Amino acid sequence: MDRSLEIRGGGEKSETEEDDDDDGRCASMTVLLCPCLVILTLALFIGSIVLFFKLCLYCREKLPSLTHRPFSTEAPQPFDQAEAERVCKVIEDLFGSDRNMEAVLDRSNVDLSSPLVVEVIRRFRHAWRPAFRFFRWAGLNRPGYAHDGEAYNSMMNVLGKARQFETMVEMLNEMGRERVLEIRTFKIAIKAFAAAREVKKATGMFELMKRYDFDAGIGTFNYLLDCIAQEKLAKEAQEVFVRMREQFPPDLRTYTVLLSGWCKVKNLVEAGRVWNEMVEKGFKPDIVAHNVMLEGLVMCRRREEAMKLWEIMKAKGPTPDVRSYTILIKDLCKQGFMGDAEALLDEMVVFGCSPDTAVYTCLIIGYGNLKRMDRVAEMLREMKEKGCPPDGRLFNALIKLMTNQNMPKDAVRMYKKMVDDGFEPTIHTYNMIMKSQFLGAKDCEMGRAVWEEMLRKGCCPDVNSYTVLIGGLIRHGQSEEAQKYMEEMIAKGMGAPQVDFSRVGKPDILDELAQKMKFAGKFEDSNLFRRWSERMMKRVKRGS
């Protein structure tokens, strides 16, 4: 088991204490011989104790990172949603302007708590600059408040996803000084570096763990390999495994992660080698490993071998589970073999494996792609009858289906049903609905209404949201509005909108914005718009 929060500490006596014991013994032997020597020895003894405690106090002040703050067992503090709304409105209104956001927050008498700070950061999770400015303001000696691990980790997450790595690492070291580091903090950094394909930096987090006396176990090592493998860096994950396997002896999970990485890049030769090594080392592949291999064979269109593995699983074990059936049913639905997919669904029930929402989602989307909306409705009814109600993912899948099939009104109806059934729309939901209105219905007002509702619900727009909005506005002749939102993206520290401006009739808009920023004295922003323009032109040339 990964003793990831084990903190090293020593219980041995220091040399000073051992010398003190010797001094004490000498004093007791000489007390009969010379009273003056006794007084001198006692003075040395007391002096050494005073020196020892001063040294301890110095280390505590100068090296606080070597001692971790004890974790609180108290229940999370409640916070007022209205207070969060009020704070977010101040940030939204003032961040992009020349007015002093921090000064207004100072006068607002904000009732700070860790849950409130986490909520505000969550609402700006795709806009690292306003989130970071608020975080820094909240941490500046506010009476009765100090950032805890939860608040720090929330901000670390935002910085990592925005690839603000220098600031992220500075914050990690700050957490060390404040003694609020957790193993989760290092995992956030590992995932962020791996997502940016910075394998060396992700692996370097293990050295940082040592510096702060965290004992990284096999669980943390497997997490590192998994993060690398998920980015389709199977070769790099394998190299890290070979380099560090002596330090972290592999377990079944280690091999399963490597197997998944090779399957993800469709390298079945290496996947087979990992499988064989796993067995040779005495590990018996479990249902998770079998499902990974089954999915890899299906992805590589090795259907015959996939079915052989399937039959072995049914005959010798491990018995196929819901995930196993989902893999095969999803593949059949993608190919349009709906009869075979339903036959597998029936077999699943016969073998006592209850279908879940994921299985039904595959079938519903399969029929939807074939425009068999009658079967879609029947499947939805069957789900309810069998006690398997739709979830948020199914609603998102249906909205995507209707958006792709140019059914904007149906997409809006499905969105309303999703909300009525108590499911919270995600950023992905809003982006799809906006796309259906701007592109499908060609209804600019409705598209903007979706944007406003997204903001009202506290859902932070991401790059895709701005891309859909900006592209939609330009298509509907509202270039000036589009420019405003592009400037807003820069202010929030976001990337460029993925819009081919030449296709929407405004090929020079980025150059115009660069010139505008230059005249306004915002040279950094001007250079950024210029770089966006150059990258877009390169993409256009590659596509032509």
Side-chain angles (χ1 to χ4, degrees):
M1 186 171 290
D2 182 7
R3 298 190 302 151
S4 51
L5 283 177
E6 180 182 335
I7 302 170
R8 297 173 187 168
E12 298 177 359
K13 282 187 176 183
S14 67
E15 292 180 7
T16 307
E17 289 173 319
E18 289 174 355
D19 291 342
D20 293 340
D21 288 344
D22 292 338
D23 289 344
R25 284 194 294 271
C26 291
S28 64
M29 292 170 62
T30 58
V31 70
L32 297 175
L33 301 175
C34 181
C36 293
L37 186 59
V38 173
I39 294 170
L40 179 62
T41 304
L42 285 172
L44 288 171
F45 179 75
I46 294 169
S48 65
I49 290 175
V50 171
L51 181 63
F52 176 78
F53 279 107
K54 282 187 175 181
L55 181 62
C56 289
L57 184 60
Y58 175 86
C59 290
R60 185 166 183 174
E61 290 173 348
K62 298 296 182 183
L63 302 171
S65 60
L66 300 180
T67 309
H68 307 299
R69 188 183 296 177
F71 297 111
S72 173
T73 56
E74 296 177 8
Q77 297 171 264
F79 71 95
D80 187 357
Q81 285 286 350
E83 185 78 337
E85 295 282 354
R86 187 167 70 93
V87 172
C88 289
K89 189 170 190 321
V90 170
I91 297 171
E92 194 70 51
D93 290 347
L94 301 181
F95 173 77
S97 69
D98 293 331
R99 296 172 65 187
N100 193 332
M101 180 187 89
E102 287 81 359
V104 175
L105 287 171
D106 282 337
R107 295 194 298 269
S108 298
N109 297 319
V110 180
D111 184 15
L112 281 174
S113 66
S114 180
L116 176 71
V117 171
V118 169
E119 174 64 13
V120 172
I121 292 171
R122 185 191 71 80
R123 295 194 186 190
F124 288 93
R125 61 190 177 278
H126 301 302
W128 74 269
R129 282 180 178 165
F132 188 62
R133 266 181 67 179
F134 166 75
F135 180 83
R136 282 296 179 222
W137 170 83
L140 286 174
N141 301 318
R142 305 292 158 195
Y145 175 78
H147 289 315
D148 62 6
E150 192 68 27
Y152 270 112
N153 285 333
S154 297
M155 194 64 240
M156 282 277 295
N157 225 337
V158 172
L159 292 171
K161 288 179 179 177
R163 301 192 178 184
Q164 298 299 311
F165 296 136
E166 187 176 339
T167 307
M168 181 185 74
V169 173
E170 285 175 4
M171 182 167 289
L172 189 149
N173 288 320
E174 181 182 317
M175 291 176 72
R177 292 191 295 273
E178 296 296 326
R179 295 176 289 152
V180 292
L181 270 175
E182 302 171 17
I183 199 69
R184 183 159 59 106
T185 312
F186 294 102
K187 286 185 173 182
I188 289 169
I190 287 170
K191 188 171 184 178
F193 282 128
R197 305 173 81 85
E198 297 276 5
V199 176
K200 189 174 180 180
K201 291 179 181 177
T203 309
M205 284 296 108
F206 281 73
E207 289 303 315
L208 210 52
M209 286 185 219
K210 285 182 185 177
R211 187 191 302 176
Y212 288 108
D213 289 332
F214 278 91
D215 186 13
I218 186 61
T220 310
F221 181 60
N222 288 343
Y223 182 81
L224 167 69
L225 294 179
D226 194 33
C227 288
I228 298 170
Q230 289 302 314
E231 298 302 321
K232 295 188 177 181
L233 298 172
K235 182 182 177 183
E236 289 80 355
Q238 187 75 38
E239 289 170 352
V240 171
F241 165 71
V242 171
R243 191 167 65 248
M244 301 176 71
R245 67 188 304 170
E246 295 300 321
Q247 185 181 352
F248 300 99
D251 59 7
L252 178 60
R253 172 65 182 159
T254 313
Y255 284 108
T256 305
V257 165
L258 293 173
L259 184 69
S260 176
W262 287 117
C263 286
K264 196 172 282 291
V265 296
K266 300 183 180 181
N267 190 331
L268 292 180
V269 173
E270 286 298 320
R273 187 191 58 75
V274 170
W275 182 281
N276 293 335
E277 183 180 326
M278 173 169 52
V279 174
E280 287 168 7
K281 295 293 182 182
F283 296 106
K284 185 178 180 181
D286 59 4
I287 186 61
V288 177
H290 276 80
N291 285 341
V292 167
M293 197 62 178
L294 183 67
E295 189 167 27
L297 291 167
V298 166
M299 284 171 58
C300 295
R301 297 287 170 231
R302 304 281 280 272
R303 183 165 175 75
E304 189 175 332
E305 285 127 303
M307 294 316 296
K308 281 181 183 177
L309 178 60
W310 176 257
E311 293 303 326
I312 291 171
M313 289 170 68
K314 289 199 290 184
K316 298 181 179 180
T319 305
D321 62 2
V322 179
R323 175 65 184 152
S324 316
Y325 280 100
T326 305
I327 291 166
L328 293 183
I329 289 173
K330 182 179 180 180
D331 181 58
L332 290 168
C333 291
K334 274 186 175 180
Q335 298 181 62
F337 300 145
M338 301 308 299
D340 293 338
E342 287 215 49
L344 207 52
L345 178 69
D346 295 336
E347 178 189 305
M348 184 179 182
V349 175
V350 169
F351 279 94
C353 192
S354 300
D356 63 3
T357 309
V359 174
Y360 279 109
T361 300
C362 295
L363 290 160
I364 287 168
I365 300 308
Y367 278 119
N369 287 331
L370 296 174
K371 299 187 177 179
R372 291 284 308 278
M373 304 310 290
D374 56 328
R375 289 296 293 143
V376 169
E378 288 172 13
M379 280 286 166
L380 287 168
R381 280 196 298 271
E382 184 179 320
M383 285 181 70
K384 289 184 179 179
E385 290 168 2
K386 294 191 174 179
C388 184
D391 61 7
R393 288 186 179 184
L394 175 55
F395 278 112
N396 277 339
L398 286 168
I399 291 170
K400 182 180 179 180
L401 172 70
M402 291 164 182
T403 300
N404 291 342
Q405 294 196 358
N406 199 19
M407 302 164 64
K409 291 182 180 178
D410 294 285
V412 171
R413 272 198 295 269
M414 193 57 63
Y415 164 77
K416 288 179 178 176
K417 181 168 176 54
M418 178 183 187
V419 174
D420 290 342
D421 284 4
F423 294 102
E424 194 68 32
T426 64
I427 186 66
H428 186 48
T429 315
Y430 288 115
N431 291 347
M432 289 187 296
I433 292 292
M434 272 199 300
K435 183 180 176 182
S436 73
Q437 300 310 302
F438 278 122
L439 299 182
K442 294 183 172 52
D443 187 341
C444 185
E445 290 308 310
M446 186 64 178
R448 295 192 62 167
V450 175
W451 174 271
E452 295 300 329
E453 181 169 350
M454 176 173 63
L455 298 180
R456 194 165 53 252
K457 292 284 186 70
C459 189
C460 180
D462 62 5
V463 172
N464 290 332
S465 312
Y466 279 99
T467 297
V468 174
L469 177 67
I470 290 166
L473 290 172
I474 293 174
R475 282 185 178 90
H476 289 83
Q478 299 184 27
S479 299
E480 289 186 9
E481 276 291 294
Q483 287 187 19
K484 184 189 79 172
Y485 286 110
M486 279 191 275
E487 291 174 32
E488 188 176 293
M489 287 183 77
I490 280 198
K492 289 182 175 180
M494 304 174 82
Q498 304 301 306
V499 179
D500 184 348
F501 294 102
S502 61
R503 291 189 177 182
V504 293
K506 290 293 290 183
D508 302 323
I509 191 169
L510 292 176
D511 288 327
E512 291 172 10
L513 276 169
Q515 200 70 13
K516 179 182 175 182
M517 292 294 108
K518 187 176 181 180
F519 287 145
K522 299 179 179 179
F523 299 109
E524 188 177 339
D525 292 349
S526 175
N527 291 334
L528 183 57
F529 276 123
R530 190 77 65 190
R531 287 196 299 271
W532 285 5
S533 177
E534 289 169 1
R535 283 202 296 268
M536 191 202 74
M537 293 305 294
K538 287 179 182 177
R539 284 202 305 271
V540 170
K541 286 179 181 178
R542 283 198 301 267
S544 59

